[in-house]
Amino acid sequence: MADLDAGEVPDRFWDEGTSPVSRALLASAVRCFARRGFHATTTRDITAGVGLSPGALYVHFASKEELLFEIARTGHERALDALRSRTDDGDSARYVRRLVAGLVTWHARHHTIARVCQYELGALEPAHHAAVLALRQQFSAVLRSAVARGVEEGVFDVPDVNRAVRAILSLGIDLVRWYRLDGADPPEALGEFYADLALRMIGTRPPPGPG
Amino acid sequence: MADLDAGEVPDRFWDEGTSPVSRALLASAVRCFARRGFHATTTRDITAGVGLSPGALYVHFASKEELLFEIARTGHERALDALRSRTDDGDSARYVRRLVAGLVTWHARHHTIARVCQYELGALEPAHHAAVLALRQQFSAVLRSAVARGVEEGVFDVPDVNRAVRAILSLGIDLVRWYRLDGADPPEALGEFYADLALRMIGTRPPPGPG
C-alpha cells in the first residue's frame, strides 16, 4: 500500500474536545497503520509523523492499541451517522438506494481510515474489539431492516436477506482496498452506481422521483 | 486477524519441483503474513514456524520479499486456472454464472492465501508488483469479456461493463476478509449464491439447464 493518495483524515473528524496534539497523533497513526499495518508500526513512527519525541504519545494515549481503538471507534461511529442521516420517505426501494449510496460514498471519501477500520480490527484487545463489533452490528442492522421491510412489503425479491445484505456491504467495503480519490470515480458517482447494483441484487429497480 | 481458521495451504498448491522445505517455508510465510502482515513478520517468525533456524530461509529464498512474490504469483496463477477451467457452452448467462461461482468458491476455499494475495501486494518490489498486476489483469479480462459478450448479444443489461465487472470481483474478493471455513456457508454454496447475485447485477437470470 505504498501509494496511498491524499485520502487523509480531516481535522474535524475526531470527537469534540480532542486536543490538537491528539488529533495530529490520530491522523499520523491512521497514515502509518494504513501503509504498513498496526503490528509493523512503532510508536516512534507515529510521533515522528508529527515531529514529536516517542514518549510524547503516552501523554495523550495509554498505548498504540488505544490509538487504534480510538480510530476504529470514531470511524465506525461516523460511518453509522452517515447511514442514519439518510432520509426514509417510506418508499423502501428509494430508502435502500439512499443507504447504499451513503455507505459507498462514505467509504470512498474516507477510504484511508476505512482501510484501518476494516483490516486492523484483529489487533484490538477483546473489550475494544467487542465495542467495535457492536457498532458494526448496528451498522448492518440499519441496512438489514430496510431490506427486510421491502421484502415484507413484497417489493423486493430476496431469497436470503442476511446473505444479500452481507453481499451489499461487501461491495461498499471492498472499495477501500483499491479506491483512490484521484481516480475516475468521484465518491458520489460510485455511490450512485453501486446503489443501482444493490437494487438489482434485491430484485427491484429505482422508482421514479428524487433519489 | 488472530482467529484464522484452518484454511491452510495444501502441500500440492505450489509448483511442481518445489522442495518439501520450500513448501513448508511458503506455508509458514502465508500463515505469518495473513496473521500480522508482511512488514510485521520477521524471517525468524517464518523459519520458527517450521522448526528451522533463521538462516535456513536464505538457502531457499533470496529474501522475505521473494517469499511474498512466490506466494502472490502462485496464488494468482491458481485462481486464474480455476477461472479458465470453467466450461463455456456458448450460453453467456450460464458461462458468467459458472465464472462467478468459480471465483467465489476459489477465494472461499483458499481464503488465507487469498488474503495475503489481496492485502500485501503493496510490499512487493516494482518488477514483482508488475508481474502480479499482469496476472490480475488476465483474471479480470476473463470475466470482462464474458460480460461484454452477453451485452453484445443483447442478453445482459449493463450500463458500464468495466464498473460492473469490478463490482462483481469485489464481491468475490471481499469475502477473504471475513470468510471462515467452519462458518455457515460452504465455499460452493456461497459461490452459487453470489453467482445468482452477479447475474442480477448484469440484468439477467440464470437460464434453465445444468448450472
Side-chain angles (χ1 to χ4, degrees), chain B residues 139-157:
Chain B
F139 189 89
S140 47
V142 174
L143 185 60
R144 190 161 47 244
S145 57
V147 172
R149 189 180 82 189
V151 171
E152 278 162 33
E153 294 166 350
V155 296
F156 299 161
D157 163 27

Side-chain angles (χ1 to χ4, degrees), chain B residues 60-78:
Chain B
H60 304 273
F61 296 94
S63 64
K64 185 175 73 156
E65 192 273 343
E66 195 183 292
L67 263 167
L68 176 64
F69 174 57
E70 195 58 23
I71 291 165
R73 181 189 64 73
T74 312
H76 282 83
E77 283 177 355
R78 295 295 174 273

